[in-house]
Amino acid sequence: MSYFAAALARPRQGWVATELDLDEIEVADDAADLLREVDPDAPLALMFVEADDEFLVVFRLDNGDEMRIFASDASFAEESRVGAVLLEELDEIDVASSDDSDEPELVGVPVGEADLLADLGVSARDLLALCAHEGMLPSDVMLAISRKIGGAEALTNLRGE
């Protein structure tokens, strides 16, 4: 399974983007180490992993220590070694917490922390809705998130778009 992993680090001003190679990671902490290397002093660093236009992982590291992960579909762990490493021990997200008909109808089974970007303006509900939106590929979700948080220019420059 092919994947693309992009790190977005936010030093004191702006965003810095770089591509990451996750082939050698054995545990999620290894991915955190790679993310720390992008900018060791950045108070916030994100990693987006998209795989085969099907799966999205958002990995957050605050102050180089606190690691939080969200994945659009738990089956990524079954389909990919990288997925298995990143999603190990993540719990399924309860999206049916109310009778609200506006709840997104997800294709996969999201796991982890859907609210990991809430303080950046992307609520859990918004993140789940982006993942559930018909026709949205993981790369589209990644770009929508980066636009919302102000890192789109760095990400599009990295991708050559």
Side-chain angles (χ1 to χ4, degrees):
M1 172 173 283
S2 65
Y3 71 88
F4 173 76
L8 274 179
R10 186 172 71 182
R12 300 295 171 211
Q13 292 184 320
W15 288 91
V16 175
T18 189
E19 188 171 351
L20 297 177
D21 180 355
L22 304 178
D23 289 344
E24 303 300 319
I25 66 170
E26 294 181 20
V27 293
D29 282 336
D30 293 342
D33 289 342
L34 289 173
L35 199 47
R36 282 183 198 100
E37 290 175 13
V38 173
D39 186 333
D41 298 323
L44 172 64
L46 301 173
M47 178 177 60
F48 296 100
V49 180
E50 60 168 303
D52 283 355
D53 292 335
E54 273 187 76
F55 306 105
L56 174 71
V57 175
V58 181
F59 187 106
R60 178 177 178 155
L61 197 59
D62 287 304
N63 297 313
D65 294 328
E66 185 183 341
M67 181 174 50
R68 299 171 68 191
I69 304 171
F70 164 81
S72 62
D73 191 348
S75 64
F76 182 41
E78 298 164 9
E79 302 285 331
S80 161
R81 188 194 69 75
V82 169
V85 168
L86 293 175
L87 307 188
E88 185 178 27
E89 299 181 27
L90 294 184
D91 294 324
E92 193 174 311
I93 297 170
D94 181 14
V95 293
S97 58
S98 69
D99 293 332
D100 190 348
S101 62
D102 290 338
E103 288 294 323
E105 193 168 319
L106 297 163
V107 175
V109 178
V111 292
E113 299 181 48
D115 66 345
L116 81 166
L117 302 172
D119 63 323
L120 300 174
V122 182
S123 69
R125 180 185 198 99
D126 291 344
L127 181 55
L128 291 169
L130 283 169
C131 291
H133 191 273
E134 190 173 334
M136 288 279 278
L137 298 173
S139 59
D140 299 329
V141 175
M142 203 167 68
L143 184 57
I145 291 168
S146 67
R147 280 187 184 125
K148 185 90 171 177
I149 65 174
E153 183 177 349
L155 184 62
T156 56
N157 286 342
L158 173 66
R159 297 200 68 158
E161 298 173 353

